[in-house]
Amino acid sequence: MAKCFSFAATQDSCYRYSFTRSGLKSSTTDLGEGTIMHCWIPKKHDPSKPTLLLIHGFGANAMWQFHGLIPKFISKFNIYVPDLLFFGESYTARAERSEAFQAQCVIGVMEAHKVTKMDVLGLSYGGFVAYSIAAQFKALVARVAIGCAGVCFEEKDLEEGGVFKEVTSMEEAVELLIPQTPEKIREMMRLSFYKQPRSMPSCFLQDFIEVMCTQFRQEKKELIQALHKDRKMSDLPRITQPTLIIWGEHDQVFPLELAHRLERHIGDNAELVIIKNVGHALNAERPKELYKHLKSFFIDNLPSSKHASHTNSLKAD
């Protein structure tokens, strides 16, 4: 008998409705050479507001990861929320899989919408992309917030237990990040949460897999492999923008040592905030505390005169 109801598809529709109600609209940009990027953009860009770019991590599409933050920031910022390549409705026919290429595609979208100055927030894998945007496009990025993103990890860290506790091979990591069974989702949640959420029935988890984790599986695997292969600290550029590094005290995906390593690497422009009693999934486990620190970094320390000048190229009133 054919399945007539999908919890994941219904939830996805609810998030889509929520984004639309918040003042965003769905937009698709053709970057050429078989590369299509989907992004949630303001229905009307307000040139008197600064721009905030939100970059998601692995898992479902961008809506699932940022639905809680959109209402908090929408009154203060022009919000842009892209789906990275091979998530949501974004894809490419090109062979590139690096975070540097992801960053170039995101900026391609922003340039298509005539945005030339922005703040950037990236969570987990999105933090790798955010860091690359800040490094490659220094003049476009004012401030950067990076949440639980092991930008400073090296290839050897996986084998030595420095990332993904209890995982010792790339194949194991792929099975967790692109789960194909309910048990793999539960295993990833055990790694991601400090306080374990209530377990969901296997039928709901299998439905989530079918809706969110089957398309572009090979391409996503290649994204993970590209992130890991030959990765060395000595190749990582130093970004110069004011940077908030925000981390869960008990992160088992990218352990806290990587936060300290990143703070040392960036130097004086970095501020490290550690949220106690939380794991990797900051936005799901402690959304209010995450917002408190993001608000302090992006909004509270922004004087009105500076706030007015921090816009894109569209002329302010």
Side-chain angles (χ1 to χ4, degrees):
M1 182 176 176
K3 182 170 66 174
C4 59
F5 176 79
S6 166
F7 169 80
T10 301
Q11 187 66 61
D12 197 67
S13 296
C14 290
Y15 288 147
R16 184 174 294 272
Y17 177 72
S18 173
F19 270 47
T20 303
R21 281 285 303 271
S22 294
L24 301 179
K25 65 179 180 181
S26 176
S27 173
T28 300
T29 303
D30 187 343
L31 299 178
E33 299 184 74
T35 301
I36 303 294
M37 289 290 289
H38 174 263
C39 186
W40 288 94
I41 69 172
K43 290 180 180 178
K44 185 177 181 181
H45 188 104
D46 183 349
S48 69
K49 294 181 184 178
T51 290
L52 180 60
L53 173 63
L54 305 178
I55 307 179
H56 66 85
F58 262 77
N61 60 48
M63 293 187 297
W64 289 64
Q65 299 184 40
F66 288 120
H67 65 91
L69 284 179
I70 299 298
K72 306 286 190 180
F73 284 109
I74 197 73
S75 66
K76 301 290 186 181
F77 291 90
N78 294 296
I79 302 288
Y80 289 77
V81 193
D83 283 321
L84 294 175
L85 292 171
F86 306 119
F87 295 88
E89 300 171 42
S90 298
Y91 60 89
T92 185
R94 295 176 62 175
E96 289 92 338
R97 297 291 183 264
S98 68
E99 71 261 39
F101 182 60
Q102 291 272 23
Q104 291 157 19
C105 291
V106 171
I107 291 301
V109 173
M110 302 304 281
E111 289 177 339
H113 292 290
K114 298 182 173 60
V115 179
T116 60
K117 199 71 174 179
M118 67 201 78
D119 292 323
V120 185
L121 164 65
L123 298 179
S124 195
Y125 177 66
F128 288 80
V129 179
Y131 193 96
S132 186
I133 288 174
Q136 292 186 72
F137 305 96
K138 296 177 182 179
L140 304 184
V141 178
R143 295 169 299 175
V144 188
I146 294 173
C148 289
V151 177
C152 282
F153 93 90
E154 298 186 295
E155 183 176 26
K156 63 181 181 180
D157 286 327
L158 182 60
E159 289 73 24
E160 296 174 357
V163 294
F164 275 94
K165 292 294 180 70
E166 303 176 13
V167 173
T168 58
S169 73
M170 180 52 55
E171 284 303 317
E172 288 182 66
V174 167
E175 289 178 1
L176 291 175
L177 288 169
I178 320 169
Q180 298 299 296
T181 67
E183 185 50 43
K184 287 299 178 185
I185 293 183
R186 293 188 181 101
E187 190 175 340
M188 187 64 201
M189 292 180 73
R190 285 194 292 271
L191 276 177
S192 299
F193 286 79
Y194 176 65
K195 182 179 180 181
Q196 295 300 304
R198 184 178 302 173
S199 181
M200 294 186 68
S202 292
C203 60
F204 285 102
L205 298 179
Q206 188 60 45
D207 173 62
F208 178 84
I209 290 167
E210 291 172 7
V211 173
M212 292 293 167
C213 303
T214 55
Q215 188 178 29
F216 298 126
R217 185 175 188 273
Q218 178 59 34
E219 290 84 354
K220 289 177 181 176
K221 178 179 179 180
E222 292 165 4
L223 293 178
I224 299 167
Q225 291 170 335
L227 204 64
H228 167 262
K229 184 174 174 57
D230 299 326
R231 192 174 190 92
K232 293 182 294 186
M233 273 285 294
S234 58
D235 295 332
L236 187 69
R238 282 183 172 85
I239 60 174
T240 57
Q241 298 89 344
T243 303
L244 174 67
I245 304 167
I246 187 164
W247 224 271
E249 179 185 21
H250 300 285
D251 192 332
Q252 296 187 77
V253 177
F254 292 122
L256 188 56
E257 163 54 27
L258 292 176
H260 293 293
R261 193 187 296 180
L262 182 58
E263 182 186 26
R264 290 192 298 268
H265 182 73
I266 296 174
D268 292 341
N269 288 323
E271 172 194 354
L272 174 60
V273 171
I274 300 168
I275 299 181
K276 293 186 177 298
N277 300 320
V278 68
H280 182 71
L282 290 174
N283 53 325
E285 196 168 4
R286 288 288 184 84
K288 291 182 180 178
E289 194 160 355
L290 172 63
Y291 169 68
K292 179 183 74 173
H293 294 295
L294 293 175
K295 177 178 179 290
S296 176
F297 181 67
F298 283 128
I299 299 175
D300 293 349
N301 294 323
L302 190 61
S304 58
S305 58
K306 187 176 178 182
H307 185 92
S309 66
H310 180 61
T311 61
N312 68 24
S313 62
L314 300 177
K315 186 177 180 181
D317 294 337

